[in-house]
Amino acid sequence: MTTHTDPPIRLTSFSHGGGCGCKIAPGVLADILKKSTGFPVPKELMVGIETADDAAVYKLNDEQALIATTDFFMPIVDDPYDFGRIAATNAISDVYAMGGTPIMALALVAMPINQLPVDVIGRIIQGGESICAEAGIPIAGGHTIDSVEPIYGLVVMGLVHPSKIKRNADARAGDKLVLGKPLGVGVLSAALKKEALDEAGYRAMIENTTRLNKPGKALSDLNGVHALTDVTGFGLLGHALEIARGAGMSVRLRMSDVPLLPGVEQLAQQGFVTGASARNWAGYGQDVVLADAITPTQKALLTDPQTSGGLLVSCAPESVEDVLALFHREGFAQAKVIGEVAEGPARVEVQG
């Protein structure tokens, strides 16, 4: 892991938002997609845009389906190498969230060429390359442009057996929900941008955002795992709501069981919350119900945009021990059961 030092150039100063907090708010995105023109869907397209899943999946033959996804954003940290690592980890995660194995990536690079030194841009790309090497995939090409704000990300392709695809829409009544990583990345990034994040907080943020969601591949082999997604820019509530809507079920969460990164509750209480948190809440509509006991700070954490967040697994109760054991073996020590799926209206309900 790289050591955090104060770079001569603050990458975050070039962007109006950082990481997955740059995402268009869920409500606005829904309106945009609602007005888009429909098109013929080939029978080989197994997963498209219908349930806001993590990636598209196209059946190649009886043994293989191609996973295709892309993700890119503006700097969430100032260290260029760390920014590249975070962006690459986040992009590759969507393949794992479908239960697949990544096979190749293409780099997307947009930089203010006249404002950022070439060596800084090079370090961003090197950071991305280091994560791709960890995932065992090449960066086989890409595209670069001159841009007002720095943007970096990947197009990632993967493979999965057609019968082992894990969509976000296949949760079943009685399932337990397991979250693989703690929440709070958006809060830490807000504190970092205002120079209020200490060294320990920065290390926790980098460790969380650069940990590849490799358990996704093994989870696809478990029959008891019914649905899978990763928690990113729409916050835990937003991605849980996608599961609820896709399955036509109620998702019930317990705030007391949700794992948090160290110090984020205190930082959120001090006002270090991203603007995306409020936009996320406004975009959920009437389909998220919070118990009276949920505090404003807890609400901010539940809506906090996660960059390179954890996998959210919907599995049969008898598979919970296997799922948790798999996470723990892969180094996800804070993976935890945070709720369940039940018959009822397609919404998310949160208890204290």
Side-chain angles (χ1 to χ4, degrees):
M1 186 182 70
T2 58
T3 302
H4 177 220
T5 57
D6 291 327
I9 293 176
R10 295 198 67 196
L11 283 179
T12 53
S13 70
F14 287 86
S15 59
H16 72 278
C20 286
C22 299
K23 275 190 173 182
I24 295 174
V28 176
L29 180 60
D31 284 342
I32 293 171
L33 294 177
K34 191 188 307 177
K35 296 168 186 173
S36 64
T37 304
F39 55 91
V41 177
K43 65 181 186 338
E44 293 86 358
L45 185 63
M46 302 181 71
V47 181
I49 65 172
E50 58 279 352
T51 61
D53 219 323
D54 300 292
V57 183
Y58 190 93
K59 185 176 180 179
L60 299 175
N61 52 56
D62 290 342
E63 300 295 323
Q64 293 176 311
L66 178 69
I67 301 170
T69 183
T70 185
D71 218 315
F72 51 87
F73 46 63
M74 290 162 281
I76 188 174
V77 295
D78 292 315
D79 184 285
Y81 190 77
D82 284 345
F83 170 42
R85 294 170 68 211
I86 294 168
T89 307
N90 181 73
I92 296 170
S93 180
D94 286 338
V95 172
Y96 293 128
M98 301 305 300
T101 300
I103 57 171
M104 181 174 67
L106 306 174
L108 301 174
V109 184
M111 296 288 156
I113 300 300
N114 294 329
Q115 294 177 278
L116 284 183
V118 172
D119 62 331
V120 170
I121 299 172
R123 288 293 285 167
I124 294 171
I125 294 171
Q126 289 165 14
E129 289 172 341
S130 73
I131 291 297
C132 287
E134 187 180 336
I137 62 173
I139 295 181
H143 187 62
T144 59
I145 63 168
D146 190 359
S147 170
V148 175
E149 294 180 290
I151 297 170
Y152 177 73
L154 301 174
V155 173
V156 188
M157 282 155 281
L159 292 174
V160 65
H161 192 284
S163 69
K164 293 184 178 181
I165 296 166
K166 298 301 178 184
R167 304 195 311 154
N168 66 355
D170 295 332
R172 302 178 188 177
D175 276 1
K176 299 296 183 181
L177 292 171
V178 177
L179 180 61
K181 288 184 184 182
L183 302 182
V185 173
V187 169
L188 294 181
S189 68
L192 176 67
K193 196 159 188 176
K194 295 181 181 178
E195 301 184 348
L197 186 64
D198 61 19
E199 187 69 27
Y202 185 82
R203 284 198 304 270
M205 177 181 172
I206 297 302
E207 287 176 3
N208 202 65
T209 53
T210 59
R211 186 182 296 278
L212 286 163
N213 280 321
K214 289 183 177 181
K217 172 62 176 69
L219 288 168
S220 74
D221 293 327
L222 296 179
N223 290 331
V225 172
H226 300 140
L228 188 60
T229 191
D230 59 351
V231 178
T232 54
F234 297 154
L236 175 60
L237 292 182
H239 294 283
L241 185 56
E242 289 174 347
I243 288 178
R245 286 172 173 166
M249 300 276 179
S250 290
V251 165
R252 297 170 182 170
L253 305 177
R254 291 179 296 277
M255 184 67 211
S256 58
D257 289 332
V258 174
L260 301 174
L261 284 162
V264 296
E265 199 159 9
Q266 294 80 3
L267 287 169
Q269 287 172 347
Q270 294 167 30
F272 294 106
V273 177
T274 70
S277 183
R279 292 195 298 273
N280 280 342
W281 176 254
Y284 303 150
Q286 303 298 312
D287 294 332
V288 174
V289 180
L290 304 182
D292 292 340
I294 299 298
T295 67
T297 296
Q298 291 172 328
K299 176 182 172 182
L301 292 168
L302 290 167
T303 57
D304 189 50
Q306 301 307 287
T307 300
S308 190
L311 295 175
L312 184 59
V313 186
S314 182
C315 65
E318 59 270 22
S319 297
V320 167
E321 288 188 12
D322 289 338
V323 170
L324 288 174
L326 195 162
F327 272 119
H328 295 158
R329 282 197 305 271
E330 293 285 339
F332 293 76
Q334 289 186 264
K336 196 173 180 183
V337 177
I338 62 168
E340 52 273 329
V341 180
E343 297 280 0
R347 67 184 190 183
V348 177
E349 304 167 2
V350 186
Q351 299 299 314

